[in-house]
Amino acid sequence: MTTTAPRRVLGPFAAASVVVGMVVGAGIFRSASLVAANLQNDMLVLAAWALGGLFALCGALVYAELSNAFPHPGGDYRFLKLAYGPLVGFLFAWSRFAVIFSASAAMLAFVAADYLAELVPLSGLARGGVAGLAIVVLTGFNLAGVKRSTNGQIVLVSADVLALLVLGIASASLIASGTPPLTPTPVPQPFGAAAFGQAMVFVMLAFGGFNDAATLSAEVRRPRDMTLAMVGGMGMVTALYLLANWAYLTGLGGAGLAASAAPAAQLMAIAFGQAGQVTMVIFVGIAALAIVNALVIVGGRTLYAVAGDEPALGRLAAWDQLAGVPRRAIWVQCAVSLCLVAWGSLSTGFAQMVDFLSPVFWLFLSLTGPALIILRRRLPQVERPFLVPLVFTGGCLFVLQSSLRYVGWTGSAISFGMLALGLGVRLSLKAPQPAPDGK
């Protein structure tokens, strides 16, 4: 065990696989029906997903610039600390540790368990056990080394991409056979700002996660590799999401998509029968595991980064040079995720994790665009190739207020209550320590 800095061992393809793996998970398989239910208009559904892709691409450019200019295993933590000072940096690191990464890992582990329950009956507690086991196994896999974990990520992401491509094939086969949609599309609803904002919460839930790949910026071989990974990864994700939603609307119809709790499995059942349905259930489970794996890869790195700046957390600032991972930080992140799995097992699982993480996630993402502008002015000598922070910030603020309306007062209180707890932790770490022997 050593505190030596990370090594630059990752190429653009491996880094891009983490970007895609952080984004393409269960979101597209679960949130598409909620988007359709809010909009009730096929063209608006496709427009919302296209807008989400454009917004995510702007965000990818913002993070590509920040990652190239300030490579650091803390990712956003480093950017926000430079722009706003150590307190905001610490609160972000705390929220990522206690809320964002931990709840996201628990949320997607629950998805894997839920889809397994389509094949094997599981009680609520049994699903929690499966979710916890998935997190522990993937944590152990990542502790074996960064190269092994990213190679495994490439395999898992390949399965995600194949699943979305198969949805396109399924709809194409239905068109070729002349099969009409399961449920005809009703009279399209006119555009409504409130409904569109609600739909964008679920769209961006599916697109969220691209920013987390910035934690690998100190481990890519060349700075341009991070740009290729961020932009190329998000371009691929947008194309896949539009293909998937076209397939849903073609095979199920707008009303059918809105009413379906598992549109991918239902579409495959219509096109290929029970075998197709079972295959898609397996693919969705793999998709959920892919994003949990990506969360484990990057999750401990922010905790490792902030521990290096906080003497009281110094034991977590150790980097295992042989494996290329922050071993202790990853184990602590795993422990918090398991606590949230236990909490979710007693209630609604996936939905509770969404309510828990959304407000804080979008709050800090809204600060990143202004941070880029601040750092441009403060450090003008650093290269600034992209001009999109205002677009990204505006989109973040729009989704933030929409998510606050979605989770309501209770969800907001719980989410921001964890942020207030982080402030208390920060103050306790900075409290003066008594002198030895009472001096």
Side-chain angles (χ1 to χ4, degrees):
M1 191 76 67
T2 176
T3 56
T4 304
R7 294 177 295 173
R8 292 189 174 274
V9 296
L10 301 179
F13 189 70
S17 73
V18 176
V19 174
V20 176
M22 291 296 300
V23 178
V24 180
I28 186 60
F29 301 108
R30 292 199 58 164
S31 63
S33 58
L34 297 170
V35 174
N38 275 279
L39 296 178
Q40 300 182 35
N41 184 312
D42 292 3
M43 294 306 298
L44 282 180
V45 167
L46 293 176
W49 286 99
L51 180 62
L54 178 62
F55 168 63
L57 180 60
C58 290
L61 292 173
V62 169
Y63 276 89
E65 176 175 332
L66 288 168
S67 298
N68 287 337
F70 311 103
H72 193 270
D76 304 55
Y77 164 70
R78 173 68 168 171
F79 314 147
L80 296 176
K81 181 181 177 182
L82 285 174
Y84 302 113
L87 178 59
V88 173
F90 179 88
L91 290 177
F92 169 77
W94 168 264
S95 70
R96 174 172 276 185
F97 161 67
V99 180
I100 298 171
F101 275 177
S102 303
S104 295
M107 177 180 70
L108 275 304
F110 273 121
V111 172
D114 289 343
Y115 272 83
L116 178 61
E118 294 290 319
L119 305 178
V120 181
L122 295 173
S123 66
L125 290 178
R127 294 185 190 197
V130 170
L133 180 62
I135 291 173
V136 171
V137 169
L138 290 173
T139 296
F141 183 67
N142 277 270
L143 290 174
V146 66
K147 286 188 176 181
R148 181 175 298 180
S149 60
T150 52
N151 287 338
Q153 183 67 14
I154 291 172
V155 174
L156 291 172
V157 169
S158 298
D160 293 351
V161 172
L162 180 61
L164 295 175
L165 293 175
V166 167
L167 290 177
I169 294 172
S171 282
S173 70
L174 290 175
I175 292 174
S177 65
T179 303
L182 179 67
T183 305
T185 303
V187 177
Q189 295 296 311
F191 176 84
F196 194 79
Q198 185 79 12
M200 288 304 296
V201 172
F202 298 106
V203 169
M204 296 316 302
L205 173 66
F207 272 106
F210 62 88
N211 58 301
D212 298 324
T215 59
L216 298 180
S217 58
E219 298 172 68
V220 294
R221 295 192 187 105
R222 297 172 298 247
R224 71 181 181 89
D225 289 346
M226 200 68 223
T227 302
L228 292 173
M230 298 290 282
V231 177
M234 290 314 303
M236 176 182 291
V237 169
T238 302
L240 290 171
Y241 280 7
L242 287 172
L243 173 65
N245 278 276
W246 169 81
Y248 291 148
L249 293 169
T250 300
L252 303 179
L257 173 58
S260 177
Q266 188 173 358
L267 174 60
M268 292 293 288
I270 295 170
F272 303 120
Q274 186 178 8
Q277 182 181 27
V278 171
T279 300
M280 184 52 62
V281 167
I282 294 172
F283 271 130
V284 173
I286 292 174
L289 293 178
I291 196 167
V292 173
N293 187 62
L295 285 164
V296 174
I297 290 175
V298 301
R301 283 162 169 79
T302 300
L303 183 56
Y304 158 82
V306 73
D309 295 336
E310 299 289 340
L313 301 175
R315 289 179 60 84
L316 299 177
W319 188 273
D320 187 332
Q321 188 67 23
L322 182 61
V325 296
R327 185 174 298 275
R328 291 173 181 163
I330 287 178
W331 272 124
V332 173
Q333 189 79 56
C334 174
V336 175
S337 295
L338 292 177
C339 289
L340 291 177
V341 166
W343 178 39
S345 298
L346 302 176
S347 55
T348 56
F350 178 90
Q352 186 159 344
M353 294 302 105
V354 173
D355 291 354
F356 183 54
L357 70 90
S358 292
V360 168
F361 174 76
W362 287 106
L363 170 65
F364 282 105
L365 213 62
S366 299
L367 295 177
T368 305
L372 178 57
I373 296 173
I374 292 170
L375 293 174
R376 281 178 175 176
R377 294 178 178 177
R378 189 176 297 166
L379 301 169
Q381 72 278 11
V382 179
E383 184 180 358
R384 309 294 183 184
F386 310 118
L387 299 174
V388 291
L390 293 179
V391 175
F392 179 61
T393 303
C396 285
L397 291 172
F398 176 71
V399 180
L400 171 62
Q401 64 88 21
S402 297
S403 68
L404 290 174
R405 293 179 61 183
Y406 166 66
V407 304
W409 287 104
T410 302
S412 300
I414 295 174
S415 188
F416 290 125
M418 287 300 296
L419 195 60
L421 179 60
L423 179 60
V425 172
R426 169 70 175 185
L427 294 176
S428 67
L429 290 175
K430 292 301 182 182
Q433 301 297 318
D437 299 327
K439 296 180 181 180

